[in-house]
Amino acid sequence: MKPKIAILATGGTIAGVIDDAITTTGYKAGALNIEVLLDAVPQIKEFATIVGYQISNIDSSNMSNEIQLNLAKKINKLLTKDEIDAVVVTHGTDTMEETAYFLNLTIKSDKPVILTGAMRPSTAMSADGSKNLYNAVALAINEKSKNKGVMIVMNDRILSARAAVKTHTLNLDAFSSPNFGDLGYILDGKVYFYNTIEKLHTKNTPFDIDHLEDLPKVDILYTYSNDGSGVAAKALFENGTQALVIAGSGSGNIHENQKNILKELMKKNLIVAISSRIQVGEVILSKEDEDFGFICAQNLNPQKARILLMLALTKTKNSKIIQNFFQTY
């Protein structure tokens, strides 16, 4: 009996079109529906029974909390059914790592959940979406894919949602895992694992989103040379932002102008996590900053730190507990 795989489409380049087979930019993302994507890869029906769902059809730069919540709820509902063995999500690459990490923290099943997409639209002669989708289904039905957390498949590479980062704007080989290494690769539909990541995920996190209709407002601010007086931080806080992630320089340093304002706002209950604008390495906080209540994002980049901080705020506003979340997940 073939495994049954649910494929959930959200849009993105994999569903993009343009009236020119040579052109790989300037296309309309999210133009095709799930049926067209599945018809383009009939080979997957040879080894799996496929059911498709259209969750959204957007350019993933427009991804929202609402869509991520709806997606996670739908996946959790599907995976409670015995007949659904795994889920594949097609997604735009701009924010794929954010959605993947969100699902990694909120899916409550050890069944495989795989995200994939494309760097070139479906109409390009060099389109990569069909092969990526084929690989994603091949990974989804592999017995060794269970209990590995949410994974991303792009360009034959298998990446953990916790580790995956988009590291190139346009190349087919656009994703990597600079801090942890890839989990494995896929060759001619065969899956090879050679790495594991020990951060807790899925069933082993406390984040239950089934009752949530929205998420706390968390924003990201850069720090840079000649950084201003903290006007942006003040404006965001006054506009309802509950927490900020700072993309620090180096190992998490913040210009003194901005840092002084952040400390003022933290006395008014703003939560602040410090990440880095550098892709590889750890953030290091001084004892003084730790004692003041700054949260160290460890090796999570700013966009993923925002995801975890949003979910953390659904459980607590205690900075020490939140810090433990960053160390654990």
Side-chain angles (χ1 to χ4, degrees):
M1 186 174 176
K2 295 179 183 178
K4 191 170 185 179
I5 308 298
I7 299 182
L8 283 61
T10 65
T13 301
I14 193 171
V17 297
I18 192 171
D19 294 330
D20 182 354
I22 302 298
T23 304
T24 59
T25 61
Y27 53 86
K28 177 177 173 52
L32 305 178
N33 61 31
I34 181 68
E35 289 78 14
V36 177
L37 295 184
L38 297 180
D39 288 344
V41 198
Q43 294 85 354
I44 61 177
K45 297 175 183 177
E46 296 174 7
F47 54 81
T49 300
I50 305 296
V51 290
Y53 300 89
Q54 193 78 48
I55 302 300
S56 63
N57 219 348
I58 62 168
D59 183 317
S60 76
S61 62
N62 294 320
M63 183 52 65
S64 66
N65 293 351
E66 179 183 9
I67 295 174
Q68 288 174 333
L69 281 168
N70 289 341
L71 179 63
K73 290 176 182 179
K74 180 67 173 179
I75 293 172
N76 276 329
K77 188 174 181 180
L78 285 168
L79 292 180
T80 60
K81 301 177 180 180
D82 290 338
E83 67 269 23
I84 298 296
D85 296 295
V87 166
V88 170
V89 178
T90 61
H91 197 290
T93 60
D94 281 3
T95 57
M96 183 186 289
E97 66 191 82
E98 295 170 62
T99 296
Y101 187 50
F102 181 82
L103 297 176
N104 197 54
L105 296 171
T106 58
I107 296 304
K108 299 306 172 189
S109 173
D110 61 4
K111 294 179 182 179
V113 176
I114 318 296
L115 278 77
T116 194
M119 291 303 298
R120 295 180 180 169
S122 63
T123 48
M125 66 169 63
S126 55
D128 55 321
S130 294
K131 179 66 181 299
N132 286 338
L133 182 55
Y134 179 88
N135 281 345
V137 174
L139 180 62
I141 67 172
N142 190 285
E143 278 296 316
K144 293 182 179 179
S145 294
K146 290 183 178 179
N147 200 32
K148 282 192 165 59
V150 174
M151 292 177 279
I152 288 175
V153 171
M154 291 289 292
N155 200 40
D156 297 338
R157 301 171 76 164
I158 305 170
L159 307 98
S160 162
R162 175 60 172 76
V165 179
K166 187 174 182 180
T167 51
H168 200 285
T169 57
L170 296 172
N171 277 0
L172 295 183
D173 194 23
F175 282 79
S176 62
S177 309
N179 273 309
F180 292 89
D182 296 350
L183 294 180
Y185 65 98
I186 301 176
L187 178 63
D188 297 334
K190 295 181 180 179
V191 175
Y192 299 88
F193 284 108
Y194 52 73
N195 194 9
T196 59
I197 292 176
E198 295 184 356
K199 294 288 187 179
L200 298 184
H201 54 74
T202 54
K203 294 195 301 184
N204 294 315
T205 78
F207 308 118
D208 178 10
I209 47 85
D210 285 344
H211 65 288
L212 297 178
E213 296 301 324
D214 203 356
L215 292 164
K217 184 171 170 52
V218 178
D219 290 295
I220 300 170
L221 284 179
Y222 242 62
T223 190
Y224 46 89
S225 61
N226 202 47
D227 197 351
S229 60
V231 173
K234 284 182 179 179
L236 288 169
F237 181 67
E238 291 168 2
N239 236 348
T241 293
Q242 297 181 37
L244 285 174
V245 176
I246 307 301
S249 57
S251 58
N253 300 307
I254 304 174
H255 194 291
E256 61 182 359
N257 291 343
Q258 187 183 99
K259 197 169 191 177
N260 289 336
I261 296 300
L262 290 173
K263 287 182 175 181
E264 288 181 22
L265 297 175
M266 290 170 70
K267 293 175 182 177
K268 300 177 182 178
N269 298 320
L270 177 71
I271 305 292
V272 178
I274 303 177
S275 179
S276 175
R277 60 191 199 183
I278 311 300
Q279 285 194 342
V280 183
E282 295 278 337
V283 168
I284 305 297
L285 297 191
S286 67
K287 181 69 163 56
E288 179 184 355
D289 285 346
E290 289 178 353
D291 291 344
F292 197 87
F294 286 101
I295 296 161
C296 177
Q298 308 283 306
N299 49 37
L300 278 176
N301 63 23
Q303 56 268 36
K304 285 188 181 179
R306 174 186 164 272
I307 294 293
L308 179 52
L309 191 50
M310 280 195 304
L311 290 169
L313 288 174
T314 67
K315 307 299 293 185
T316 183
K317 291 186 177 180
N318 184 304
S319 62
K320 291 184 178 179
I321 297 175
I322 295 174
Q323 181 65 78
N324 185 61
F325 289 159
F326 274 88
Q327 293 168 340
T328 306
Y329 308 112

